[in-house]
Amino acid sequence: MHIQHSDIKEFSRFYRANLINCLTGAKPAVLIGSANKEGKTNLALFSNIIHIGADPAMLGYLQRPIGESGDTFRNIMETGCYTFNLVTPEIVEQAHFTSAKFSTSVSEFEACKLTPEFVPGFTAPFVTECRVKIGLTCVEVIPVKLNNTTLVIGSIDHILLPDSILKNDGNIIPEAAGLVSAVGLEQYCSLSTICTMSYAKPDNLPQF
Amino acid sequence: MHIQHSDIKEFSRFYRANLINCLTGAKPAVLIGSANKEGKTNLALFSNIIHIGADPAMLGYLQRPIGESGDTFRNIMETGCYTFNLVTPEIVEQAHFTSAKFSTSVSEFEACKLTPEFVPGFTAPFVTECRVKIGLTCVEVIPVKLNNTTLVIGSIDHILLPDSILKNDGNIIPEAAGLVSAVGLEQYCSLSTICTMSYAKPDNLPQF
């Protein structure tokens, strides 16, 4: 099938949203935890997550235009801090339903039966049920004017994870970490390692 | 284990790179195809890929600081167009080794035994061996000054994919598409569907 630019415009809204959201393939499934100044917690599922750099260590997410929803972004602007929590297979259903449009007065932690957890001196909630939990301080907010979205970049303050999922070289074991990928807007997948590759150099190419 | 900001600074360069690149969990594995004005092709593996929006349909990738490598970015600046090709399990090894620092005169298509394919009126090469192939025109280049990287945003002109991997609602079937996730800098995983969820609304929450 060959779909062209003009075809995409003609698709129904839901067909287009499904197809285009699938084109980035295996996306991370991440719960972003935040709280307002009064300590009211919020939790929301994001898959538009991107590695920004390792040194300094920074991660980004793309914030949709702020409308009725947008508690995550408002909390980050209020307090400066938030958490990334990698979804595991056991909590896929709860994680998915954090994306329902609850009113601001409802915490998705309570509505979706997930447990907030705190680190001293850091006001944003982590998710107890997750194995990889990251605490971030917002360091830059970059507008994407083309569609009124915002790239929110955070510096990594805290990494919480079980020793058992970490290799000696700093790599996380995908199965032990229970990594989950979101494909499109409604499909969730578990991961199985195919292979681990050596550092690629022109003079060590394998026989393809 | 609780790793703090000051610990990250103290890690060796490779340990830090491995760990921080793993924190975004399941990342897309995408081959970006491009060509210079003379038609010399280039192919490079990226996992820092992000969905920007469905309407208009746009995808982004994060370009590392341009140094010796950077043919992809230079080609995009020269011609305006490029392709995203989703890696499949069969070509993981070839895809990984496109990241070796070949000189500009070498096409990774030849070095890594992958086949360029063209669509009339579009000068960037697609990868024949991939199942999901996307042709993009660069519409915005946003500097991330914090670490001298660049968010490159493209508008979708072409989508090439087999009918058999597409559902009636526009969703791509992860296993049929052969989606692959990159975890960190050297681990590659296949995907298995855990579940497909319905649209989340506060009044249709399941019993958790």
Side-chain angles (χ1 to χ4, degrees), chain A:
Chain A
M1 189 183 299
H2 183 175
I3 297 165
Q4 304 205 47
H5 189 80
S6 53
D7 301 323
I8 299 172
K9 284 270 168 211
E10 298 300 317
F11 289 145
S12 77
R13 183 179 155 210
F14 286 103
Y15 188 95
R16 180 173 50 235
N18 286 335
L19 175 62
I20 304 300
N21 276 280
C22 280
L23 293 182
T24 33
K27 298 180 293 182
V30 175
L31 283 165
I32 302 188
S34 63
N36 69 10
K37 277 187 296 191
E38 284 74 41
K40 179 80 191 171
T41 59
N42 189 272
L43 192 63
L45 183 66
F46 286 80
S47 60
N48 300 330
I49 300 287
I50 192 165
H51 170 86
I52 301 290
D55 187 22
M58 299 185 292
L59 308 177
Y61 83 91
L62 193 76
Q63 173 67 52
R64 316 264 11 120
I66 306 294
E68 285 178 46
S69 55
D71 289 334
T72 298
F73 187 70
R74 277 188 286 268
N75 288 344
I76 294 173
M77 293 301 99
E78 263 189 43
T79 67
C81 69
Y82 53 111
T83 67
F84 278 11
N85 306 271
L86 303 194
V87 173
T88 62
E90 295 78 14
I91 62 159
V92 161
E93 194 171 38
Q94 286 116 299
H96 177 76
F97 278 90
T98 62
S99 62
K101 289 188 179 110
F102 298 104
S103 75
T104 298
S105 64
V106 173
S107 170
E108 292 81 4
F109 278 101
E110 287 165 43
C112 297
K113 304 270 201 315
L114 291 165
T115 316
E117 171 182 314
F118 293 89
V119 157
F122 194 83
T123 60
F126 297 83
V127 180
T128 297
E129 288 80 359
C130 293
R131 290 177 225 170
V132 180
K133 314 167 197 186
I134 307 151
L136 300 133
T137 296
C138 181
V139 287
E140 193 160 355
V141 166
I142 301 179
V144 178
K145 289 175 189 157
L146 286 165
N147 66 350
N148 198 24
T149 56
T150 306
L151 180 65
V152 179
I153 300 179
S155 168
I156 300 179
D157 286 332
H158 300 281
I159 305 170
L160 307 173
L161 79 184
D163 297 6
S164 59
I165 69 169
L166 199 55
K167 294 188 194 174
N168 287 336
D169 62 5
N171 274 299
I172 284 174
I173 304 164
E175 292 87 348
L179 296 184
V180 165
S181 176
V183 175
L185 298 167
E186 54 192 41
Q187 299 180 97
Y188 297 91
C189 297
S190 60
L191 271 63
S192 305
T193 299
I194 301 171
C195 58
T196 301
M197 293 286 175
S198 58
Y199 187 73
K201 292 190 282 189
D203 60 5
N204 76 343
L205 292 192
Q207 285 290 333
F208 297 125

Side-chain angles (χ1 to χ4, degrees), chain B residues 34-52:
Chain B
S34 63
N36 69 11
K37 277 188 298 192
E38 285 73 42
K40 179 80 190 172
T41 59
N42 188 272
L43 193 63
L45 184 66
F46 286 79
S47 61
N48 300 330
I49 301 288
I50 192 165
H51 170 86
I52 302 290

